Amino acid sequence: DIQMTQSPASLSASVGETVTITCRVSENIYSYLAWYQQKQGKSPQLLVYNAKTLAEGVPSRFSGSGSGTQFSLTINSMQPEDFGSYYCQHHYGTPYTFGGGTKLEIK
Amino acid sequence: EVQLQQSGPELVKPGASEKISCKTSGYTFTAYNIHWVKQSHGKSLEWIGYIYPYNGGTGYNQKFKGKATLTVDNSSSTAYMELRSLTSEDSAVYYCARHWGYFDYWGQGTTLIVSS
């Protein structure tokens, strides 16, 4: 199975900061990578797919980049509603796997 | 509006089976795969498997073969996941999600607690 290594596992940031989360993949998945945001007690919500395409309704302060085995999610000018957990997931065929998650907390 | 509405929380005894439902609306049910994902408390997400409502075709994560069985009822646009021989390791939140290469809509999750 494809392994997804996400870093950092946790991150503290202030409102207005720019943060970057990275996802390293064990084999080439081209651009078949998605990012999800999960708030406490809620289901994951799609943010980005195909590595850099924003899902409908996602603010433009979110951006995804990368291809092959290295990917990143950047949040420009963090807002209070952006705090929560973030997960990467490859969609390069089954079995799908997710990263271990990044918990983004307010500083 | 696309919606996936899952059944409520369940408390079951070890060794029992449990069937979770995922009722969909707002789109053509047979046009999209439904996938199931497990999230143990405080942990990341694990992909369980999928079902294609159009023809009932399924695919499973090797880890969940024999544990999970996926079915659908096209007349009610509902997907089901049955979990058998439950142990404490199966205590988790289970999500259904619509698949379009990635998971674009998710159910609210069903909490399953396995305890005597």
Side-chain angles (χ1 to χ4, degrees):
Chain A
D1 298 358
I2 294 174
Q3 305 302 310
M4 315 289 290
T5 304
Q6 207 176 316
S7 61
S10 63
L11 178 60
S12 294
S14 301
V15 173
E17 269 192 61
T18 293
V19 301
T20 298
I21 300 167
T22 63
C23 186
R24 180 166 48 89
V25 188
S26 62
E27 62 184 77
N28 185 2
I29 60 167
Y30 302 92
S31 294
Y32 294 104
L33 186 103
W35 291 96
Y36 301 89
Q37 177 193 63
Q38 186 178 34
K39 300 288 184 67
Q40 185 70 31
K42 301 294 186 183
S43 56
Q45 300 294 306
L46 178 67
L47 290 174
V48 173
Y49 61 94
N50 294 343
K52 61 180 182 181
T53 303
L54 291 186
E56 187 175 348
V58 174
S60 58
R61 62 180 179 274
F62 290 89
S63 63
S65 63
S67 65
T69 62
Q70 298 275 0
F71 301 85
S72 62
L73 175 72
T74 298
I75 311 172
N76 286 303
S77 187
M78 285 277 302
Q79 297 301 301
E81 61 267 28
D82 299 337
F83 294 95
S85 294
Y86 291 80
Y87 297 93
C88 59
Q89 175 238 332
H90 81 82
H91 52 98
Y92 186 53
T94 59
Y96 296 126
T97 48
F98 294 83
T102 295
K103 188 169 184 180
L104 187 47
E105 297 175 315
I106 192 164
K107 186 183 288 183
Chain B
E1 179 190 7
V2 174
Q3 292 188 334
L4 286 75
Q5 183 67 36
Q6 296 185 228
S7 47
E10 299 285 355
L11 171 61
V12 298
K13 295 189 184 307
S17 296
E18 186 59 40
K19 197 170 190 178
I20 298 169
S21 65
C22 172
K23 183 171 177 57
T24 72
S25 60
Y27 72 97
T28 301
F29 181 61
T30 52
Y32 297 78
N33 290 349
I34 290 289
H35 290 237
W36 292 86
V37 175
K38 176 183 180 182
Q39 186 170 37
S40 301
H41 183 67
K43 301 278 184 67
S44 185
L45 302 154
E46 280 186 284
W47 177 74
I48 296 171
Y50 75 89
I51 187 163
Y52 186 34
Y54 180 78
N55 59 11
T58 56
Y60 293 90
N61 184 332
Q62 187 68 30
K63 177 180 176 179
F64 292 94
K65 282 186 177 178
K67 171 63 67 176
T69 301
L70 305 182
T71 56
V72 291
D73 176 358
N74 288 349
S75 68
S76 63
S77 300
T78 302
Y80 299 92
M81 177 175 65
E82 183 171 25
L83 300 167
R84 66 174 66 90
S85 302
L86 292 167
T87 73
S88 59
E89 295 296 307
D90 299 312
S91 295
V93 178
Y94 292 88
Y95 295 100
C96 60
R98 193 181 81 161
H99 177 260
W100 188 242
Y102 36 84
F103 304 129
D104 59 354
Y105 290 91
W106 296 64
Q108 84 276 21
T110 296
T111 299
L112 178 66
I113 299 174
V114 182
S115 174
S116 55

